[in-house]
Amino acid sequence: MVLRATAPFRKIVEAADASKKDALRPETIKTVTAEPIRKSGAPANEATVSEANKALRSLRVLLSAARLYQKDHPRTIETLDATYDALLGVAGSLGGFEVRVEGSGLVVPELAEEPLPDPRGELSALAADLRRTGIHSLLFAKKFHVGDLDTLAQLIQNVPLGTGENATGPGGAELWVAQSTGHGMEGIGINVPRERQVDTVLASLISALVASDVAAPGNSDDQTPIRAPGMEDVLAAMR
């Protein structure tokens, strides 16, 4: 009874051993080709590039609607909402959405140094419109209000085409900075690079430090001059 019971198991073991030997023969071993692993921090995310492209095409449609219709026209309102959602989505995913007009294309530095793909020429048309109005860069904050976008569209459509071609030098760029500031656009920067924003933050910190030194209690007879804050003071304030 024992021999009869173990015989089938012995055959199973022998068959498994034979299968292992066959698998180890050179002609049966499959060749594996190693593929490079895409790092999670890859600079160009195709989905984000596509979203940025779509958002900027929507911005072009909004600018066209602002020129063709009144501000409260249903078409303008509908396009404004769609464009706001598209731009806000990209700005949120990138932590800020900067767009530069370079040559005949639009560049998003967070994605690539090359212009965005533009198979149908829509972004080239937007770049040309922005250039003719004196705009060479737009910076959408991570969070901005739909009113900022509405103001941007109205300001652009009220500027005669060709203004940018006649505005050369720093004066042309600063004109838009003054326009955006004067209309309370806090979430969208026009012709304001990121470096300027960093300088503004540092200037605000230094001003706050100087103000705190002035307001600090002390002896009214103390004639010690107020010193300018050093780097250690700035770093301490940022902690």
Side-chain angles (χ1 to χ4, degrees):
M1 294 293 292
V2 175
L3 292 176
R4 289 179 181 177
T6 57
F9 292 101
R10 187 180 296 110
K11 292 181 179 180
I12 293 174
V13 173
E14 292 174 353
D17 291 339
S19 177
K20 290 180 181 179
K21 291 178 180 179
D22 292 339
L24 293 175
R25 287 187 299 172
E27 58 271 19
T28 62
I29 298 177
K30 296 182 179 180
T31 302
V32 178
T33 303
E35 294 290 341
I37 299 176
R38 184 181 180 89
K39 296 182 179 180
S40 58
N45 183 296
E46 294 182 2
T48 307
V49 170
S50 177
E51 291 172 2
N53 200 304
K54 179 181 177 182
L56 292 174
R57 293 201 310 269
S58 183
L59 176 60
R60 177 174 177 257
V61 175
L62 172 62
L63 298 182
S64 298
R67 284 194 292 264
L68 295 174
Y69 305 103
Q70 296 294 328
K71 181 178 179 179
D72 56 352
H73 191 279
R75 175 61 175 167
T76 305
I77 297 175
E78 177 186 358
T79 307
L80 175 65
D81 292 339
T83 305
Y84 174 71
D85 291 339
L87 290 171
L88 187 64
V90 178
S93 63
L94 294 178
F97 185 20
E98 182 182 5
V99 183
R100 297 177 185 168
V101 179
E102 295 190 4
S104 60
L106 297 176
V107 174
V108 179
E110 291 87 350
L111 299 177
E113 290 300 324
E114 299 77 23
L116 291 172
D118 186 24
R120 294 184 290 184
E122 295 169 292
L123 300 188
S124 296
L126 175 60
D129 287 345
L130 293 176
R131 191 185 306 107
R132 283 195 292 265
T133 56
I135 296 176
H136 58 73
S137 70
L138 292 171
L139 180 59
F140 300 90
K142 185 177 181 179
K143 293 182 179 180
F144 63 94
H145 194 269
V146 65
D148 292 335
L149 183 60
D150 185 25
T151 301
L152 173 66
Q154 296 302 317
L155 287 176
I156 291 177
Q157 71 96 14
N158 286 326
V159 174
L161 294 180
T163 299
E165 297 171 349
N166 298 325
T168 58
E174 293 174 357
L175 176 65
W176 270 112
V177 175
Q179 285 274 3
S180 58
T181 303
H183 287 80
M185 291 175 55
E186 299 180 355
I188 302 178
I190 305 176
N191 295 344
V192 181
R194 287 184 182 273
E195 291 78 6
R196 181 75 62 83
Q197 290 191 342
V198 173
D199 293 342
T200 302
V201 172
L202 290 177
S204 300
L205 282 172
I206 293 174
S207 298
L209 286 169
V210 172
S212 65
D213 284 346
V214 173
N219 188 354
S220 59
D221 297 332
D222 189 1
Q223 301 298 321
T224 303
I226 300 173
R227 66 178 181 86
M231 182 57 66
E232 295 81 3
D233 300 321
V234 175
L235 293 176
M238 295 178 66
R239 292 191 183 101

